[in-house]
Every structure is written in structure tokens, then in C-alpha cells.
Amino acid sequence: MEKHICNVCGYEYDPAKGDPDNGIAPGTKFEDLPADWVCPLCSVDKSHFEKQ
């Protein structure tokens, strides 16, 4: 699974870890995140992330 990096703040979304603080289970692919998911550090939407 590929990691995605926020272009605004540098937060790294790692699918192996998910985002448990925001209800995203480990193993959730970036593409499968809800449409309303935002960066947990700076609150920008998914369009501000790049695949690494």
C-alpha cells in the first residue's frame, strides 16, 4: 500500500496505520478514505495529498 503526503503540512497518511484518532482503521487505502476525510494536522482535503 502506498503512502500519501500532505502538500501543505507534510503529514504522511500510511494505510498500514490508518487514522484511528479519526475512525479510519489500519489497512484502509487512501483511495478508500471517506470523501469528507481531511488531514488530521491541517484540515485540508484529500486533493492536497500526493502519492509517495
Side-chain angles (χ1 to χ4, degrees), residues 18-39:
D19 182 12
D21 291 341
N22 292 297
I24 306 299
T28 303
K29 295 179 184 177
F30 186 81
E31 296 78 15
D32 294 335
L33 291 171
D36 62 351
W37 181 85
V38 295
C39 177

Side-chain angles (χ1 to χ4, degrees), residues 4-28:
H4 286 72
I5 306 293
C6 178
N7 290 328
V8 176
C9 72
Y11 171 80
E12 178 181 89
Y13 177 76
D14 182 349
K17 296 178 183 175
D19 182 12
D21 291 341
N22 292 297
I24 306 299
T28 303

